[in-house]
PDB file of all heavy atoms in Angstrom:
ATOM      1  N   ALA A  63      13.717  27.627 -37.782  1.00  0.00           N
ATOM      2  CA  ALA A  63      15.013  27.392 -38.420  1.00  0.00           C
ATOM      3  C   ALA A  63      15.840  26.461 -37.549  1.00  0.00           C
ATOM      4  O   ALA A  63      15.886  26.612 -36.320  1.00  0.00           O
ATOM      5  CB  ALA A  63      15.740  28.719 -38.623  1.00  0.00           C
ATOM      6  N   HIS A  64      16.470  25.489 -38.167  1.00  0.00           N
ATOM      7  CA  HIS A  64      17.310  24.530 -37.438  1.00  0.00           C
ATOM      8  C   HIS A  64      18.437  25.274 -36.731  1.00  0.00           C
ATOM      9  O   HIS A  64      19.208  25.992 -37.353  1.00  0.00           O
ATOM     10  CB  HIS A  64      17.875  23.514 -38.436  1.00  0.00           C
ATOM     11  CG  HIS A  64      18.744  22.472 -37.824  1.00  0.00           C
ATOM     12  ND1 HIS A  64      20.075  22.342 -38.122  1.00  0.00           N
ATOM     13  CD2 HIS A  64      18.481  21.511 -36.904  1.00  0.00           C
ATOM     14  CE1 HIS A  64      20.587  21.343 -37.441  1.00  0.00           C
ATOM     15  NE2 HIS A  64      19.646  20.830 -36.692  1.00  0.00           N
ATOM     16  N   ASP A  65      18.523  25.119 -35.405  1.00  0.00           N
ATOM     17  CA  ASP A  65      19.532  25.838 -34.624  1.00  0.00           C
ATOM     18  C   ASP A  65      19.920  24.966 -33.437  1.00  0.00           C
ATOM     19  O   ASP A  65      19.244  24.963 -32.395  1.00  0.00           O
ATOM     20  CB  ASP A  65      18.987  27.182 -34.157  1.00  0.00           C
ATOM     21  CG  ASP A  65      20.055  28.082 -33.552  1.00  0.00           C
ATOM     22  OD1 ASP A  65      21.017  27.553 -32.959  1.00  0.00           O
ATOM     23  OD2 ASP A  65      19.940  29.317 -33.676  1.00  0.00           O
ATOM     24  N   GLU A  66      21.008  24.203 -33.576  1.00  0.00           N
ATOM     25  CA  GLU A  66      21.418  23.277 -32.524  1.00  0.00           C
ATOM     26  C   GLU A  66      21.897  23.992 -31.272  1.00  0.00           C
ATOM     27  O   GLU A  66      21.724  23.476 -30.162  1.00  0.00           O
ATOM     28  CB  GLU A  66      22.503  22.338 -33.050  1.00  0.00           C
ATOM     29  CG  GLU A  66      21.998  21.377 -34.118  1.00  0.00           C
ATOM     30  CD  GLU A  66      23.061  20.429 -34.608  1.00  0.00           C
ATOM     31  OE1 GLU A  66      24.259  20.653 -34.302  1.00  0.00           O
ATOM     32  OE2 GLU A  66      22.702  19.455 -35.299  1.00  0.00           O
ATOM     33  N   VAL A  67      22.481  25.163 -31.422  1.00  0.00           N
ATOM     34  CA  VAL A  67      22.959  25.919 -30.255  1.00  0.00           C
ATOM     35  C   VAL A  67      21.771  26.340 -29.383  1.00  0.00           C
ATOM     36  O   VAL A  67      21.791  26.169 -28.156  1.00  0.00           O
ATOM     37  CB  VAL A  67      23.787  27.141 -30.682  1.00  0.00           C
ATOM     38  CG1 VAL A  67      24.130  28.011 -29.470  1.00  0.00           C
ATOM     39  CG2 VAL A  67      25.063  26.700 -31.386  1.00  0.00           C
ATOM     40  N   LYS A  68      20.712  26.872 -30.013  1.00  0.00           N
ATOM     41  CA  LYS A  68      19.519  27.249 -29.258  1.00  0.00           C
ATOM     42  C   LYS A  68      18.870  26.014 -28.635  1.00  0.00           C
ATOM     43  O   LYS A  68      18.408  26.049 -27.501  1.00  0.00           O
ATOM     44  CB  LYS A  68      18.510  27.959 -30.165  1.00  0.00           C
ATOM     45  CG  LYS A  68      18.821  29.409 -30.440  1.00  0.00           C
ATOM     46  CD  LYS A  68      17.684  30.059 -31.213  1.00  0.00           C
ATOM     47  CE  LYS A  68      17.982  31.535 -31.464  1.00  0.00           C
ATOM     48  NZ  LYS A  68      16.887  32.191 -32.237  1.00  0.00           N
ATOM     49  N   GLY A  69      18.839  24.940 -29.401  1.00  0.00           N
ATOM     50  CA  GLY A  69      18.247  23.711 -28.896  1.00  0.00           C
ATOM     51  C   GLY A  69      18.969  23.213 -27.665  1.00  0.00           C
ATOM     52  O   GLY A  69      18.345  22.892 -26.646  1.00  0.00           O
ATOM     53  N   ALA A  70      20.296  23.156 -27.726  1.00  0.00           N
ATOM     54  CA  ALA A  70      21.086  22.683 -26.593  1.00  0.00           C
ATOM     55  C   ALA A  70      20.938  23.613 -25.390  1.00  0.00           C
ATOM     56  O   ALA A  70      20.890  23.152 -24.242  1.00  0.00           O
ATOM     57  CB  ALA A  70      22.557  22.565 -26.992  1.00  0.00           C
ATOM     58  N   ARG A  71      20.847  24.901 -25.644  1.00  0.00           N
ATOM     59  CA  ARG A  71      20.688  25.869 -24.555  1.00  0.00           C
ATOM     60  C   ARG A  71      19.372  25.630 -23.808  1.00  0.00           C
ATOM     61  O   ARG A  71      19.314  25.680 -22.577  1.00  0.00           O
ATOM     62  CB  ARG A  71      20.720  27.290 -25.116  1.00  0.00           C
ATOM     63  CG  ARG A  71      20.786  28.391 -24.055  1.00  0.00           C
ATOM     64  CD  ARG A  71      20.843  29.756 -24.692  1.00  0.00           C
ATOM     65  NE  ARG A  71      22.016  29.894 -25.545  1.00  0.00           N
ATOM     66  CZ  ARG A  71      22.007  30.382 -26.786  1.00  0.00           C
ATOM     67  NH1 ARG A  71      20.856  30.798 -27.316  1.00  0.00           N
ATOM     68  NH2 ARG A  71      23.115  30.488 -27.483  1.00  0.00           N
ATOM     69  N   LEU A  72      18.317  25.350 -24.564  1.00  0.00           N
ATOM     70  CA  LEU A  72      17.021  25.077 -23.947  1.00  0.00           C
ATOM     71  C   LEU A  72      17.031  23.739 -23.206  1.00  0.00           C
ATOM     72  O   LEU A  72      16.467  23.619 -22.122  1.00  0.00           O
ATOM     73  CB  LEU A  72      15.929  25.102 -25.019  1.00  0.00           C
ATOM     74  CG  LEU A  72      15.551  26.505 -25.503  1.00  0.00           C
ATOM     75  CD1 LEU A  72      14.920  26.460 -26.888  1.00  0.00           C
ATOM     76  CD2 LEU A  72      14.595  27.164 -24.501  1.00  0.00           C
ATOM     77  N   PHE A  73      17.680  22.748 -23.779  1.00  0.00           N
ATOM     78  CA  PHE A  73      17.817  21.464 -23.088  1.00  0.00           C
ATOM     79  C   PHE A  73      18.527  21.645 -21.752  1.00  0.00           C
ATOM     80  O   PHE A  73      18.148  21.051 -20.742  1.00  0.00           O
ATOM     81  CB  PHE A  73      18.624  20.465 -23.944  1.00  0.00           C
ATOM     82  CG  PHE A  73      17.907  19.926 -25.149  1.00  0.00           C
ATOM     83  CD1 PHE A  73      18.632  19.360 -26.192  1.00  0.00           C
ATOM     84  CD2 PHE A  73      16.526  19.977 -25.263  1.00  0.00           C
ATOM     85  CE1 PHE A  73      17.987  18.848 -27.306  1.00  0.00           C
ATOM     86  CE2 PHE A  73      15.872  19.465 -26.382  1.00  0.00           C
ATOM     87  CZ  PHE A  73      16.608  18.898 -27.406  1.00  0.00           C
ATOM     88  N   ARG A  74      19.562  22.477 -21.761  1.00  0.00           N
ATOM     89  CA  ARG A  74      20.337  22.701 -20.542  1.00  0.00           C
ATOM     90  C   ARG A  74      19.470  23.331 -19.443  1.00  0.00           C
ATOM     91  O   ARG A  74      19.546  22.933 -18.272  1.00  0.00           O
ATOM     92  CB  ARG A  74      21.544  23.589 -20.832  1.00  0.00           C
ATOM     93  CG  ARG A  74      22.532  23.657 -19.679  1.00  0.00           C
ATOM     94  CD  ARG A  74      23.608  24.692 -19.949  1.00  0.00           C
ATOM     95  NE  ARG A  74      24.417  24.373 -21.099  1.00  0.00           N
ATOM     96  CZ  ARG A  74      25.509  23.610 -21.071  1.00  0.00           C
ATOM     97  NH1 ARG A  74      25.894  23.069 -19.936  1.00  0.00           N
ATOM     98  NH2 ARG A  74      26.203  23.392 -22.169  1.00  0.00           N
ATOM     99  N   LYS A  75      18.631  24.295 -19.836  1.00  0.00           N
ATOM    100  CA  LYS A  75      17.758  24.944 -18.856  1.00  0.00           C
ATOM    101  C   LYS A  75      16.806  23.934 -18.226  1.00  0.00           C
ATOM    102  O   LYS A  75      16.593  23.937 -17.007  1.00  0.00           O
ATOM    103  CB  LYS A  75      16.953  26.068 -19.530  1.00  0.00           C
ATOM    104  CG  LYS A  75      17.768  27.301 -19.874  1.00  0.00           C
ATOM    105  CD  LYS A  75      16.883  28.360 -20.522  1.00  0.00           C
ATOM    106  CE  LYS A  75      17.695  29.621 -20.840  1.00  0.00           C
ATOM    107  NZ  LYS A  75      16.839  30.665 -21.462  1.00  0.00           N
ATOM    108  N   ALA A  76      16.251  23.062 -19.063  1.00  0.00           N
ATOM    109  CA  ALA A  76      15.313  22.055 -18.558  1.00  0.00           C
ATOM    110  C   ALA A  76      16.038  20.984 -17.747  1.00  0.00           C
ATOM    111  O   ALA A  76      15.523  20.504 -16.732  1.00  0.00           O
ATOM    112  CB  ALA A  76      14.552  21.430 -19.717  1.00  0.00           C
ATOM    113  N   ALA A  77      17.229  20.609 -18.192  1.00  0.00           N
ATOM    114  CA  ALA A  77      18.010  19.583 -17.484  1.00  0.00           C
ATOM    115  C   ALA A  77      18.386  20.054 -16.089  1.00  0.00           C
ATOM    116  O   ALA A  77      18.380  19.256 -15.137  1.00  0.00           O
ATOM    117  CB  ALA A  77      19.264  19.242 -18.287  1.00  0.00           C
ATOM    118  N   LYS A  78      18.687  21.326 -15.941  1.00  0.00           N
ATOM    119  CA  LYS A  78      19.046  21.872 -14.631  1.00  0.00           C
ATOM    120  C   LYS A  78      17.885  21.781 -13.649  1.00  0.00           C
ATOM    121  O   LYS A  78      18.083  21.780 -12.432  1.00  0.00           O
ATOM    122  CB  LYS A  78      19.507  23.326 -14.768  1.00  0.00           C
ATOM    123  CG  LYS A  78      20.917  23.473 -15.325  1.00  0.00           C
ATOM    124  CD  LYS A  78      21.326  24.931 -15.393  1.00  0.00           C
ATOM    125  CE  LYS A  78      22.765  25.072 -15.882  1.00  0.00           C
ATOM    126  NZ  LYS A  78      23.182  26.496 -15.979  1.00  0.00           N
ATOM    127  N   GLN A  79      16.670  21.698 -14.186  1.00  0.00           N
ATOM    128  CA  GLN A  79      15.496  21.551 -13.328  1.00  0.00           C
ATOM    129  C   GLN A  79      15.199  20.081 -13.019  1.00  0.00           C
ATOM    130  O   GLN A  79      14.227  19.772 -12.335  1.00  0.00           O
ATOM    131  CB  GLN A  79      14.274  22.190 -13.995  1.00  0.00           C
ATOM    132  CG  GLN A  79      14.392  23.690 -14.178  1.00  0.00           C
ATOM    133  CD  GLN A  79      13.094  24.293 -14.659  1.00  0.00           C
ATOM    134  OE1 GLN A  79      12.072  24.223 -13.963  1.00  0.00           O
ATOM    135  NE2 GLN A  79      13.101  24.869 -15.849  1.00  0.00           N
ATOM    136  N   GLY A  80      16.037  19.195 -13.553  1.00  0.00           N
ATOM    137  CA  GLY A  80      15.897  17.783 -13.242  1.00  0.00           C
ATOM    138  C   GLY A  80      15.004  16.995 -14.173  1.00  0.00           C
ATOM    139  O   GLY A  80      14.658  15.844 -13.862  1.00  0.00           O
ATOM    140  N   LEU A  81      14.633  17.565 -15.311  1.00  0.00           N
ATOM    141  CA  LEU A  81      13.770  16.844 -16.254  1.00  0.00           C
ATOM    142  C   LEU A  81      14.583  15.751 -16.951  1.00  0.00           C
ATOM    143  O   LEU A  81      15.537  16.041 -17.675  1.00  0.00           O
ATOM    144  CB  LEU A  81      13.181  17.812 -17.287  1.00  0.00           C
ATOM    145  CG  LEU A  81      12.165  17.199 -18.258  1.00  0.00           C
ATOM    146  CD1 LEU A  81      10.876  16.830 -17.511  1.00  0.00           C
ATOM    147  CD2 LEU A  81      11.863  18.174 -19.395  1.00  0.00           C
ATOM    148  N   ALA A  82      14.198  14.507 -16.739  1.00  0.00           N
ATOM    149  CA  ALA A  82      14.972  13.382 -17.265  1.00  0.00           C
ATOM    150  C   ALA A  82      15.090  13.413 -18.784  1.00  0.00           C
ATOM    151  O   ALA A  82      16.163  13.155 -19.344  1.00  0.00           O
ATOM    152  CB  ALA A  82      14.347  12.068 -16.806  1.00  0.00           C
ATOM    153  N   ASP A  83      14.002  13.733 -19.471  1.00  0.00           N
ATOM    154  CA  ASP A  83      14.044  13.782 -20.932  1.00  0.00           C
ATOM    155  C   ASP A  83      15.067  14.809 -21.417  1.00  0.00           C
ATOM    156  O   ASP A  83      15.765  14.588 -22.419  1.00  0.00           O
ATOM    157  CB  ASP A  83      12.668  14.135 -21.505  1.00  0.00           C
ATOM    158  CG  ASP A  83      11.693  12.976 -21.438  1.00  0.00           C
ATOM    159  OD1 ASP A  83      12.138  11.814 -21.540  1.00  0.00           O
ATOM    160  OD2 ASP A  83      10.483  13.221 -21.273  1.00  0.00           O
TER     161      ASP A  83
END
Side-chain angles (χ1 to χ4, degrees):
H64 180 244
D65 190 329
E66 293 182 348
V67 173
K68 281 186 179 179
R71 189 179 300 133
L72 285 157
F73 288 161
R74 191 188 297 273
K75 287 181 179 180
K78 284 182 177 179
Q79 296 188 62
L81 185 69
D83 285 328

